[in-house]
Amino acid sequence: MCAFMSEPSRTAAQERADEIRVFGDELARLEREGVVALTAAQREAIGAHHRGLLARFAQDFDIDRDARAKQLSLGMRIASFLGALALAASVFFLFRQFWDRFSTIAQVVILIGAALGTFGATLWIQARESSGYFTKLAAMVAFACFVINIALLGQIFNITPSDKALIPWAAFALLLAYTCDLRLLLAAGILCIISWISARTGTWSGMYWLHFGERPENFFPAAVIMFLVPQVIPHGRFTGFGPIYRVFALLTLFLPILVLANWGRVSYLDFEENTIEGFYQVMGFALSAGAIWLGARRHWGEVVNTGSAFFVIFLYTKFFDWWWEIMPKYLFFLVLGLTAVLLLFIMRRLRAKGLFGGSTR
Amino acid sequence: MTPTWSRGRTLAAGIALIALTNAVALGGVAWNRSGEPESVLKLTQRELSRSREFGLDREGGGLQLYVNWRVLSTERDSELYWNFHGAPEWLDEAKLASLGFDVSPPPATPKASWRYERQLPREALVVLELDGPAYQKALERARERAAKQAAKGAQTGKTGPGTPAEQAANFLKNEETTNSRLFAVDAGRDARALRAKYPDRTRYAIVQGTVRTSYQTGRGKEARWTGYIEGIQNAQVNVPLEFRKAIESARISRRPGPAVQGAAPFEVTVAFGRRFEPWIVAASAAAK
């Protein structure tokens, strides 16, 4: 899908506009300090180029031109997210409220019509709106309508529940996400894919697919695949999409490991419970440390942060197991605090050595 | 906002996705209902109740009927509703192994208990029997139990309300008049083999379900592998608008399990198709 895309996204345009503003501030400071002196012609050329870019971005993407606009924009994003959830819920309950008044044929027509209509409305709004806030609202409603469409068809015709429904839901969410540059829908699509891959993995052992969550190892293949997606398919055009794939991949990896490190009996492994828990505790430390290292090497800030968070969680979980019962509480929390200080020292040292250098885009 | 992909292509892709998904779902429904139904059962207020309703569901959402299936439990004296879904007599080690479960460790070893806990439910085809030998056996058990408790009560003089004798008599009355007569009597993986074993399509329906292992021991009983039916797929059947009037005119039990005393009689004909998915083909409020 990415191959068809050449125009910058709103996020990329916003990032460029921010860089232009920072560049202007820094250039003015350098000139005041006498480090550099541009000629009037050079200054005018740069200024004209930047004004042109900003004007185009403002027209095409309704970007925030200054810090105040950016703060307002954050509020609008939150309102848009909450509004999208509320509207999706509203559609669901609207269906429920009046559902029993329609014949089966009318129900089917309404379900398909709602999915098609809201999808068309999303594209119509996208064509007329530059900010993307209303597009996000409409896209969420369209996705909710499609999910309800398939779920209620299952209810009307008593169709046996199947994990296969996750495939079209994921495809629809990804279509909206990539078309409208919506990270919320990307997250929804990724969750559908993770669920489907994990369910399929679970069925290989013979279990009924709905129980895939009871064996946390079922999530590991999905974690690996999601982590590789932004490596295999370039996402340079979609700012923020790559990090979302990686964060979901790491959550899909570390959360099951955290469960297995504490409840070994839910594992596939046919060993003693303590052995399984010990194995996954070691895996948790090793993989979270590995994530920090990889994130630092590849300048993936989100990978470093997620790895660090889970490393600390694994560490504190072990501390709890070892010392909560035998230590006075003040001493236990003192140890936690001192450990955090020690980690800060280690991280600072690594940063000084240049391991954490560079941007984290 | 500048389009990232040709809007025409996006529109076409979205419409195609919605159309294809609905076509696959509806095509499956058409295939399930094509030809002669796999089985057709005439269920009554004893076998059907309104599906469970929680909080938000009270707003509407259509009418669904819950199919009250049960099993003949190994616990012979069971009279409580939750024992209706206990370990069936026929779900023994051999049956569990035929369904794909690993029952190789001897059931008395700790390894076995570890293993049964770790085995997750498996899909299986479950045979439901309507008003057949299993129900007659349940009725016989209830009669025996009522007679036994009545004799005990006569000896001890405890026959009033709340006594075991009175409870057993009430249970017998429920078993004769209101309890479901729909029993899960077998399970397997081969639909043809099951149908050959249970050829009466008006008494036996094959449905999709899930089976889980369990383990019985203690109180002097021999340790043994056992199992239970965790659930029946599509145990809730949607009631289309054309049948709602007939069903809503009857006072339907709002809880699964034994029908309430005084529930108005009605009859719903449920067909099961090629994919073992049910649908209602007729419904009527029976004469009181």
Side-chain angles (χ1 to χ4, degrees), chain B residues 36-223:
Chain B
E36 279 294 303
E38 213 284 328
S39 54
V40 180
L41 300 185
K42 289 188 175 178
L43 306 177
T44 69
Q45 71 284 352
R46 297 178 68 163
E47 287 79 44
L48 295 167
S49 58
R50 267 182 191 254
S51 62
R52 280 161 271 197
E53 295 182 0
F54 298 105
L56 298 170
D57 284 354
R58 281 197 288 270
E59 282 195 345
L63 176 63
Q64 290 192 297
L65 294 176
Y66 183 83
V67 179
N68 298 323
W69 59 274
R70 54 187 282 203
V71 299
L72 203 57
S73 171
T74 49
E75 297 291 326
R76 291 183 60 83
D77 286 343
S78 67
E79 64 171 30
L80 299 170
Y81 168 67
W82 47 85
N83 281 329
F84 281 19
H85 289 178
E89 285 181 326
W90 49 267
L91 197 49
D92 53 14
E93 276 186 26
K95 181 61 75 178
L96 287 169
S98 75
L99 294 174
F101 290 102
D102 178 12
V103 290
S104 56
T109 63
K111 180 91 175 168
S113 91
W114 171 243
R115 190 163 301 234
Y116 93 76
E117 283 177 7
R118 287 153 48 90
Q119 292 196 65
L120 291 178
R122 285 173 175 269
E123 280 184 278
L125 295 169
V126 177
V127 180
L128 296 178
E129 178 190 86
L130 177 63
D131 197 9
Y135 172 63
Q136 292 306 320
K137 198 169 176 181
L139 207 52
E140 190 54 39
R141 277 186 187 181
R143 284 184 184 129
E144 279 175 16
R145 189 167 178 276
K148 197 169 125 189
Q149 292 297 340
K152 258 190 192 174
Q155 276 181 354
T156 57
K158 292 178 181 173
T159 54
T163 59
E166 197 245 4
Q167 286 171 354
N170 282 343
F171 184 74
L172 173 59
K173 188 179 168 193
N174 286 341
E175 200 69 287
E176 287 171 337
T177 58
T178 60
N179 285 354
S180 172
R181 298 159 300 166
L182 190 64
F183 284 74
V185 293
D186 204 349
R189 295 158 103 177
D190 184 348
R192 282 188 186 175
L194 288 173
R195 183 47 75 199
K197 195 172 170 186
Y198 304 97
D200 186 349
R201 293 173 189 267
T202 59
R203 187 180 295 280
Y204 295 97
I206 298 174
V207 296
Q208 294 183 72
T210 50
V211 176
R212 195 164 199 146
T213 55
S214 188
Y215 181 71
Q216 276 194 350
T217 186
R219 285 190 293 176
K221 289 178 185 169
E222 188 187 348

Side-chain angles (χ1 to χ4, degrees), chain A residues 145-155 165 168-169, chain B residues 18 21-22 25:
Chain A
C145 281
F146 186 52
V147 170
I148 291 169
N149 170 195
I150 304 306
L152 284 187
L153 273 191
Q155 183 183 311
W169 288 342
Chain B
I18 293 169
T21 308
N22 279 282

Side-chain angles (χ1 to χ4, degrees), chain A residues 119-359:
Chain A
F119 175 65
T122 304
L123 295 187
W124 184 81
I125 291 169
Q126 187 207 20
R128 279 152 189 80
E129 189 221 7
S130 54
S131 68
Y133 300 118
F134 294 99
T135 306
K136 184 194 281 185
L137 278 171
M140 270 299 283
V141 174
F143 180 63
C145 281
F146 186 52
V147 170
I148 291 169
N149 170 195
I150 304 306
L152 284 187
L153 273 191
Q155 183 183 311
I156 294 168
F157 295 109
N158 311 304
I159 300 171
T160 306
S162 167
D163 56 342
K164 292 183 185 75
L166 292 162
I167 300 171
W169 288 342
F172 195 67
L174 294 181
L175 179 68
L176 288 168
Y178 281 93
T179 305
C180 307
D181 192 23
L182 297 174
R183 281 175 276 187
L184 186 63
L185 265 297
L186 177 69
I190 289 173
L191 282 175
C192 288
I193 296 173
I194 288 173
S195 303
W196 182 72
I197 295 174
S198 306
R200 284 291 96 198
T201 309
T203 57
W204 291 340
S205 70
M207 73 164 70
Y208 179 52
W209 73 271
L210 260 175
H211 292 269
F212 70 90
E214 293 181 40
R215 288 285 173 275
E217 282 115 336
N218 289 333
F219 290 95
F220 292 161
V224 173
I225 292 169
M226 286 299 105
F227 198 83
L228 291 176
V229 166
Q231 312 314 119
V232 177
I233 305 168
H235 276 71
R237 162 74 187 72
F238 298 95
T239 313
F241 276 35
I244 289 177
Y245 276 103
R246 285 189 284 270
V247 167
F248 272 93
L250 291 179
L251 290 175
T252 309
L253 177 70
F254 288 132
L255 285 174
I257 289 180
L258 187 63
V259 172
L260 289 160
N262 292 283
W263 293 280
R265 62 173 47 230
V266 296
S267 169
Y268 277 117
L269 300 177
D270 200 8
F271 299 114
E272 288 298 315
E273 204 173 331
N274 287 339
T275 311
I276 295 168
E277 288 171 8
F279 171 72
Y280 279 109
Q281 284 160 15
V282 173
M283 289 294 285
F285 283 119
L287 289 172
S288 55
I292 297 169
W293 174 81
L294 183 67
R297 293 272 297 186
R298 305 294 292 266
H299 306 308
W300 291 332
E302 73 285 348
V303 174
V304 173
N305 292 336
T306 313
S308 304
F310 274 96
F311 190 88
V312 171
I313 290 171
F314 285 122
L315 195 62
Y316 282 7
T317 311
K318 274 323 291 172
F319 285 177
F320 183 85
D321 284 348
W322 290 332
W323 297 324
W324 181 254
E325 293 294 336
I326 58 170
M327 268 188 184
K329 299 300 167 268
Y330 77 90
L331 196 57
F332 178 79
F333 285 108
L334 179 68
V335 170
L336 291 195
L338 289 176
T339 311
V341 172
L342 180 68
L343 285 173
L344 282 175
F345 272 117
I346 294 170
M347 303 273 255
R348 200 172 71 167
R349 245 192 118 99
L350 291 172
R351 191 178 63 176
K353 283 186 176 176
L355 192 59
F356 287 81
S359 78

Side-chain angles (χ1 to χ4, degrees), chain B residues 220-241:
Chain B
K221 289 178 185 169
E222 188 187 348
R224 66 185 186 93
W225 285 96
T226 181
Y228 59 94
I229 298 168
E230 194 193 52
I232 296 293
Q233 313 289 4
N234 304 308
Q236 292 186 60
V237 185
N238 185 54
V239 181
L241 187 64

